[in-house]
Amino acid sequence: MKFNITANDSKSNARAGIIQTDHGTIETPIFMPVGTVGSVKGIHAQDLTDHIKAEIILGNTYHLYLRPGIDIIEQAGGIQKFNAWNKPTLTDSGGFQVFSLAHRRKITPDGVLFYSHIDGSKHLFTPERVMDIQRFIGADIMMAFDECTPYPCEHDYAEKSMELTHKWLDRCCTHFDNTEPKYGYNQTLFPIVQGSVYKDLRIKSAEKIASMNREGNAIGGVSVGEPIDLMYEMTEIVCGILPKDKPRYLMGVGTPANILDCIEMGVDMFDCVMPTRNGRNGTIFTRNGIMNMKNEKWKNDFSLIDKESDLFADQQYTKAYLRHLFTAHEQLGGMIGSIHNLHFYLWLVKEARKQIMNGTFTSWKSVILPKISQRI
RNA sequence: GGGGAGAUUCCAGAGUGGCUAAAUGGGGCAGACUGUAAAUCUGUUGGUAACACCUUCGGAGGUUCGAAUCCUCCUCUCCCCA
């Protein structure tokens, strides 16, 4: 993997860059649609490339390991062959499931014992095992195995957890460096900064992660329910420590406004379930604001879903029709909501990139931020 | 023609003397969703000058301190047998 910075914003820490992988290039800042079980819910691979213009998507180690299982993915020839997405992929390590499935796991110094949410079976995830699984899945970017701490979280616990994550990181790196990719293309490993909402821990963790000298770095343990101001404060501190010449990935963030704010702090990569989950549930993000398509007010609004968008769905369907689909619980409603939101998210980061390269990012942001944040 | 069952708030459907403006679903309305156990979850859903009052359980009367619940008549619906 290679990363080159194309442009630095003169008025902020925002930057535009290019990541090169064996599955193609990624222009940053970028938003990565989440495809947990090998599928961006409700979206064809072809729509991801042709309409949404996604450049990289996520998969999840824990979920893919449980189903279909790494043997099936290996037989398929890796995740990109299996799900027909032959562009870059990033797999999360299962660290988020340590948080989200906290009631179904036990943390030990060696790793995490998971009780499958599907059939209750026991599975031990050690840093080494997680590296092996991600080798089998075959994503271009693999994530270190970490503990994503909850919010709120006591300083004492956050510190111990961070130290455990750091120990696991050393093991991840060692094992990663001692193993080979399985499918003939390169994989890289991103370590993850933890430290909850504590400045001292975040600084310590960011220094540790920077010292590992990997090809890219991630900021985790955010967007778990903490106030947005705290998330921003932590992100800003960490971005100041992580090396400038490597991509910074802010995990699980966020709203369109969060993404612009964090691009300004120097974040290059984002992922979030929000565009797909909210889209599936009736919330639509547009450059003029956020709409709840289930609301009665759209009942007889026969204007296009988004007249400023060039997405086919936004130009084909009306708000009244989309509301009808949601109220009738038609699958097409969730599909249109998802494709629309992903298209918007990708438009947003690509536009941000243009503005950075044009030297107009901050002024553009100050105009668009209030518009995209309002509810209409 | 004979026999039987039933009519409850937008719908379906509980309730069979006071704890009932009335369970539970659905529908309606609104909200939530941030490295996806989520095409999910939550709230709300008679009216009003609203911690109270008014109207409501097919219609009209009646019994009772008190009725959706008991009695009488009426109207309508459904099922079975001829």
Side-chain angles (χ1 to χ4, degrees), chain A residues 7-24:
Chain A
N8 280 294
D9 184 43
S10 58
K11 299 189 184 74
S12 76
N13 292 316
R15 68 263 190 86
I18 295 180
I19 296 171
Q20 290 178 308
T21 76
D22 288 350
H23 279 98

Side-chain angles (χ1 to χ4, degrees), chain A residues 201-212:
Chain A
L201 299 183
R202 283 288 175 180
I203 291 168
K204 203 172 166 188
S205 188
E207 284 169 349
K208 162 73 178 174
I209 269 55
S211 77
M212 300 307 287

Side-chain angles (χ1 to χ4, degrees), chain A residues 13-46:
Chain A
N13 292 316
R15 68 263 190 86
I18 295 180
I19 296 171
Q20 290 178 308
T21 76
D22 288 350
H23 279 98
T25 60
I26 302 157
E27 297 192 332
T28 64
I30 189 67
F31 178 81
M32 307 181 282
V34 179
T36 307
V37 299
S39 144
V40 177
K41 293 186 192 300
I43 305 287
H44 290 286
Q46 190 177 331

Side-chain angles (χ1 to χ4, degrees), chain A residues 62-238:
Chain A
Y62 167 87
H63 288 282
L64 289 169
Y65 160 84
L66 286 183
R67 197 164 52 191
I70 52 178
D71 55 330
I72 299 298
I73 292 176
E74 187 185 21
Q75 285 173 46
I79 188 68
Q80 284 98 339
K81 292 255 172 61
F82 190 50
N83 67 4
W85 167 259
N86 45 33
K87 285 174 179 285
T89 299
L90 178 153
T91 38
D92 185 28
S93 61
F96 185 73
Q97 280 62 44
V98 178
F99 156 75
S100 67
L101 298 175
H103 60 292
R104 308 192 66 91
R105 53 79 174 154
K106 201 175 285 176
I107 300 177
T108 71
D110 191 38
V112 178
L113 186 63
F114 278 105
Y115 297 87
S116 162
H117 69 285
I118 300 166
D119 62 7
S121 54
K122 276 198 257 183
H123 305 270
L124 181 63
F125 277 53
T126 63
E128 292 79 14
R129 184 75 178 128
V130 169
M131 292 300 101
D132 286 339
I133 297 169
Q134 291 188 86
R135 286 293 195 195
F136 274 106
I137 295 170
D140 301 84
I141 300 172
M142 299 168 36
M143 299 305 298
F145 191 48
D146 65 335
E147 183 195 356
C148 178
T149 49
Y151 180 85
C153 177
E154 296 291 320
H155 186 281
D156 188 51
Y157 184 87
E159 184 167 24
K160 287 197 171 80
S161 168
M162 179 195 76
E163 279 161 5
L164 186 64
T165 289
H166 290 174
K167 277 181 193 150
W168 287 354
L169 175 60
D170 291 335
R171 290 166 59 186
C172 282
C173 289
T174 302
H175 198 73
F176 177 85
D177 292 339
N178 288 332
T179 55
E180 293 291 322
K182 295 201 176 299
Y183 308 109
Y185 52 82
N186 285 304
Q187 293 181 284
T188 191
L189 174 67
F190 282 20
I192 304 171
V193 175
Q194 287 293 340
S196 186
V197 295
Y198 304 105
K199 224 170 155 175
D200 60 320
L201 299 183
R202 283 288 175 180
I203 291 168
K204 203 172 166 188
S205 188
E207 284 169 349
K208 162 73 178 174
I209 269 55
S211 77
M212 300 307 287
N213 201 26
R214 307 309 299 196
E215 294 180 298
N217 300 296
I219 306 166
V222 293
S223 64
V224 289
E226 76 284 8
I228 295 302
D229 288 350
L230 276 178
M231 184 189 98
Y232 283 179
E233 196 187 332
M234 297 303 122
T235 302
E236 195 155 29
I237 289 167
V238 170

